Amino acid sequence: DIVMTQSPDSLAVSLGERATIKCKSSQSVLHRSDNKNYLAWFQQKPGQPPKLLIYWASTRYSGVPDRFSGSGSLTDFTLTISSLQAEDAAVYYCQQYYGSPPWTFGQGTKVEIK
Amino acid sequence: EVQLVESGGGLVKPGGSLRLSCAASGFTFNDYSLNWVRQAPGKGLEWVSYIDSWSSDIYYADSVKGRFTISRDNPMNSLYLEMNSLRAEDTAMYYCARVYMFQGLVDYWGPGTLVTVSS
């Protein structure tokens, strides 16, 4: 199984500042046949289901503000919130959906407002 | 508007059974594959099971294989998860989620239904 490891486990960022979350997979999630990284990012607020933010490592899902961006390839990925807003306080998960199941998630990173 | 609404959760004793349902609306149900994903209280997300549009491809996590059965009823726009031989470690919020573009990627999630396995 592919193990997803996020860092840090939590971070506190001031409003308007940048937040950066890392995600590392135990093996490459880049599919050579289509040159796509099978990596997604989700946001989850308390009492709510997760929301899809980013897929193919860097493609924003419909309606996601452009302050959210994803980057990286192979085994190392980053989610960046360029200017943190109050409503961005949440837990963020990376997930690989490469090939056959199981499709696995990182342990989550809690973003708080400083 | 896409909606997924789970039901059927509750308190069950270890070794017991439960059947979860997910009612879908706002999209053409038989055009989409679906997943069940769970989240233990205060913990992270765990993929549980996948079913394609016509129930021809089905997968399970090792942790539930042989105990859980996923199924769907396309005319009824419904997804199910039959859970048997339940264990304490199955305690979680169970979400149904619609597949987007590729098997393991999901976009819409239901609000979830809580399953508690305890004596």
Side-chain angles (χ1 to χ4, degrees):
Chain A
D1 298 358
I2 299 177
V3 176
M4 308 299 290
T5 304
Q6 292 180 227
S7 61
D9 289 334
S10 64
L11 74 161
V13 178
S14 300
L15 291 173
E17 296 299 303
R18 178 185 300 260
T20 301
I21 301 169
K22 302 283 189 184
C23 174
K24 190 173 185 68
S25 57
S26 61
Q27 63 190 71
S28 172
V29 297
L30 175 65
H31 219 292
R32 298 294 183 184
S33 62
D34 57 12
N35 203 37
K36 289 181 176 180
N37 289 283
Y38 284 52
L39 190 284
W41 289 96
F42 292 87
Q43 175 194 67
Q44 187 178 31
K45 297 180 180 178
Q48 296 183 17
K51 288 184 179 177
L52 177 63
L53 296 176
I54 303 281
Y55 60 99
W56 302 135
S58 60
T59 302
R60 262 188 306 276
Y61 185 63
S62 174
V64 174
D66 60 7
R67 64 180 180 273
F68 291 93
S69 64
S71 63
S73 187
L74 295 171
T75 62
D76 292 281
F77 301 91
T78 301
L79 174 70
T80 301
I81 310 172
S82 60
S83 176
L84 194 75
Q85 305 300 301
E87 61 266 30
D88 300 334
V91 178
Y92 293 83
Y93 294 93
C94 62
Q95 183 225 356
Q96 64 79 19
Y97 50 99
Y98 181 88
S100 299
W103 302 298
T104 48
F105 294 84
Q107 80 276 17
T109 295
K110 186 175 184 178
V111 173
E112 297 174 305
I113 309 299
K114 191 187 290 183
Chain B
E1 180 195 1
V2 172
Q3 283 202 323
L4 297 165
V5 180
E6 304 90 341
S7 61
L11 175 63
V12 61
K13 289 182 167 51
S17 299
L18 218 49
R19 189 193 198 209
L20 305 185
S21 301
C22 174
S25 60
F27 63 101
T28 304
F29 187 73
N30 56 18
D31 280 350
Y32 288 85
S33 303
L34 296 155
N35 282 294
W36 285 100
V37 179
R38 69 184 181 184
Q39 185 171 35
K43 302 296 185 184
L45 299 163
E46 180 188 15
W47 169 79
V48 173
S49 185
Y50 164 91
I51 187 167
D52 75 352
S53 304
W54 300 106
S55 306
S56 53
D57 266 353
I58 287 176
Y59 304 117
Y60 298 97
D62 285 348
S63 56
V64 307
K65 201 173 294 182
R67 301 186 299 121
F68 289 13
T69 302
I70 192 172
S71 63
R72 63 190 292 164
D73 184 334
N74 284 348
M76 293 294 290
N77 288 354
S78 293
L79 173 72
Y80 305 102
L81 187 68
E82 187 77 38
M83 304 187 296
N84 297 316
S85 303
L86 282 162
R87 306 166 180 167
E89 54 264 35
D90 296 318
T91 294
M93 185 71 79
Y94 285 74
Y95 298 103
C96 72
R98 189 183 78 166
V99 167
Y100 178 66
M101 297 183 71
F102 190 78
Q103 292 174 325
L105 178 62
V106 295
D107 56 357
Y108 284 93
W109 301 59
T113 188
L114 181 62
V115 172
T116 303
V117 184
S118 174
S119 53

